[in-house]
Amino acid sequence: MRNLTRFITVSDLVRIAVGWGAFGALLLAGPLLRPPAPAPLLVVALVIIVAVILVCAFGVVTQAEALARRLGDPYGSLVLTLSIVMIEVVLISAVMLGPGEHTTIARDSVMAVSMIILNLVVGLALLLGGIRYRRMAHNRTGTSAYLGMLIALIALAFGLPAVIGDGGAFTIAQAIPVVAMTVVLYGFFLYRQMGVQAGDFTEVDRALTPTTATTSEAGADSIRDVLREHRTEILTRLVLLITTAVPIVLLSHDMATLLDDGLGRLGAPPALAGVLIAAIVFLPESITAIRAALGREMQRVINLCHGALVSTVGLTIPAVLLIGMATEQRVVLAETPANLLLLAVTLLLSVATFTSKQVNSMHGAAHLALFAAYTIVLFA
C-alpha cells in the first residue's frame, strides 16, 4: 500500500472524483437536459462538461507522460494511444448497439478523427515546434511505416466500398475478407512495432539500427527488465490513466445530445457535433503531442498522432463491420467525393512532409490549411 501512495497524488484523486462525479450528476440531471432544454441551462451544462473534461484530460496527460518516461517509446506512446482508441471504439460500438439507426457513425467519426489528427494536431505541432526550433528531425523509417499503413487501411475502409460496395456499404461476402485483412495487417504492424522494429519508432538521436538478432533481443530484454523492476508503478499509472480517461468519453457521449440540440438551434451542420466529440475524446493525446513538439520530440509526436489513427482505423472498422453483420445493420463506409479528395490530399501531403529528414513550421501551415478546407466542406 505504501508503494502505491508514492505514485498516487491528491490531484490524481481529485481529478477522478471530479470526472466521475460530473458523470453521475449528468445522469441525475438527464430529464432536465432532454431537448428542448432551456437555452441558459444548455449553455451552463456544456460549459461545465467541457471544464470537467479539460481537468480530466490534464490528468491523463500526466500519467501518460510518466509512463512514456518510464517505458520509453514506442511503448509509452502506445499505452496512451491504445487506451484512448479502445474507449473510442467501445463508444462507437455502444452507439451502434443502441436504439435508432446509425449507418454512418463509424465513417463520420473516423473521418473527423483523421482530419483532426493528421491536419489540426500535426499542423499545430509542426508549426509551434518549427517556430521554436526552426527544424525538427524524425525517424523516417518508422514514419514511413505509419503512412504506409494509413494509406492501405483508409483505402480499404473508405475508398473500396465507394467502388464495389452496395450503396456505400460492403456486402457480407466483401466485409468478411476486409475484416480479416484489416485485423491481420494491424496485428502484424503491432507485432513488429513492439518487437524487432521498435528502434524504428524512437527519436533519431536515440534510434538503433536493429540489423541483428542480438540487438532485437537486447531491446526486448530491456523492456522486460523495466516491466519487472517497475511493475507496481506501471500498473498503478495504467489504472489511473484509464480511470481518468473513461469519464472523458462518457461525458463526451452524453454531451452529443446537448450539442445536437444547440447546433440545431444555431443551424449548424449535424456533422459538426461528431467533429467536436472526436476533438474532445482525443484531447489528452493532442495535448501530449503539442508538449512533445515543444520539447523537440518529433518522433513522439508522430507515434502519438499517426499511431492513434492507425489504431483507430485498424480497430474501429473491423468492430463496426462485425457488429453490423451480427445485428444485420447497414454500415455505410463509403465517403463523399469531397471527403475522399481531402483524405487523399492529406495522405499525399503527409508523405511529402515526412519524406524530409527534418520538418518545419511551413509543413505545419500546409496541414492547418487543409484542416481549414475540411471545415469549409463540413459547412458546405
Side-chain angles (χ1 to χ4, degrees), residues 107-308:
R107 182 194 72 182
D108 295 341
S109 298
V110 177
M111 178 66 193
V113 170
S114 300
M115 292 296 105
I116 289 169
I117 290 178
L118 291 183
N119 288 324
L120 180 59
V121 181
V122 168
L124 284 173
L126 293 177
L127 181 67
L128 297 177
I131 290 173
R132 172 173 285 191
Y133 300 108
R134 293 187 61 191
R135 298 181 186 89
M136 297 179 291
H138 64 99
N139 194 325
R140 287 195 293 177
T141 305
T143 307
S144 175
Y146 280 129
L147 292 175
M149 286 289 298
L150 286 175
I151 291 170
L153 290 173
I154 287 176
L156 279 174
F158 304 123
L160 201 58
V163 178
I164 67 170
D166 178 16
F170 285 122
T171 64
I172 293 180
Q174 294 167 346
I176 292 173
V178 168
V179 168
M181 284 188 291
T182 302
V183 170
V184 170
L185 182 59
Y186 178 65
F188 181 70
F189 172 79
L190 280 185
Y191 170 72
R192 298 292 292 186
Q193 184 188 28
M194 293 188 292
V196 295
Q197 290 183 238
D200 294 340
F201 302 90
T202 58
E203 299 295 334
V204 287
D205 58 344
R206 299 193 297 272
L208 303 176
T209 53
T211 56
T212 65
T214 302
T215 307
S216 303
E217 290 167 3
D221 289 340
S222 175
I223 189 63
R224 279 197 289 265
D225 291 340
V226 171
L227 291 172
R228 190 182 308 112
E229 183 178 354
H230 302 283
R231 179 175 56 188
T232 301
E233 177 187 358
I234 291 169
L235 289 176
T236 302
R237 293 197 182 281
L238 276 173
V239 170
L240 287 173
L241 186 150
I242 295 171
T243 307
T244 312
V246 170
I248 295 175
V249 179
L250 295 176
L251 289 171
S252 300
H253 180 46
D254 290 334
M255 192 176 64
T257 303
L258 301 179
L259 278 174
D260 285 337
D261 185 15
L263 293 174
R265 297 183 193 186
L266 295 174
L272 185 59
V275 175
L276 295 175
I277 295 298
I280 290 171
V281 169
F282 282 89
L283 181 62
E285 204 150 17
S286 302
I287 296 172
T288 307
I290 299 299
R291 284 187 174 182
L294 293 175
R296 209 172 190 176
E297 297 177 302
M298 195 59 220
Q299 188 57 43
R300 188 160 182 238
V301 174
I302 293 167
N303 290 343
L304 287 166
C305 295
H306 294 81

Side-chain angles (χ1 to χ4, degrees), residues 308-366:
L309 190 54
V310 168
S311 298
T312 298
V313 183
L315 293 172
T316 302
I317 300 306
V320 298
L321 287 176
L322 289 173
I323 290 173
M325 286 186 284
T327 60
E328 298 184 351
Q329 290 187 60
R330 182 179 175 80
V331 179
V332 177
L333 292 176
E335 267 296 358
T336 64
N339 282 342
L340 281 177
L341 175 63
L342 280 175
L343 281 170
V345 174
T346 295
L347 291 172
L348 182 61
L349 177 60
S350 297
V351 170
T353 296
F354 294 106
T355 298
S356 172
K357 288 183 179 179
Q358 295 184 323
V359 292
N360 55 54
S361 57
M362 289 186 290
H363 293 122

Side-chain angles (χ1 to χ4, degrees), residues 49-120:
I49 291 172
V50 171
V52 171
I53 286 173
L54 287 172
V55 169
C56 292
F58 281 104
V60 172
V61 169
T62 299
Q63 301 305 325
E65 290 183 338
L67 284 168
R69 286 194 298 270
R70 179 63 69 196
L71 296 173
D73 270 335
Y75 309 104
S77 299
L78 196 61
V79 168
L80 176 60
T81 294
L82 289 179
S83 61
I84 297 295
V85 170
M86 285 298 293
I87 294 171
E88 174 74 3
V89 172
V90 170
L91 174 59
I92 293 173
S93 301
V95 172
M96 286 189 66
L97 292 170
E101 292 188 4
H102 306 279
T103 57
T104 64
I105 179 66
R107 182 194 72 182
D108 295 341
S109 298
V110 177
M111 178 66 193
V113 170
S114 300
M115 292 296 105
I116 289 169
I117 290 178
L118 291 183
N119 288 324
L120 180 59

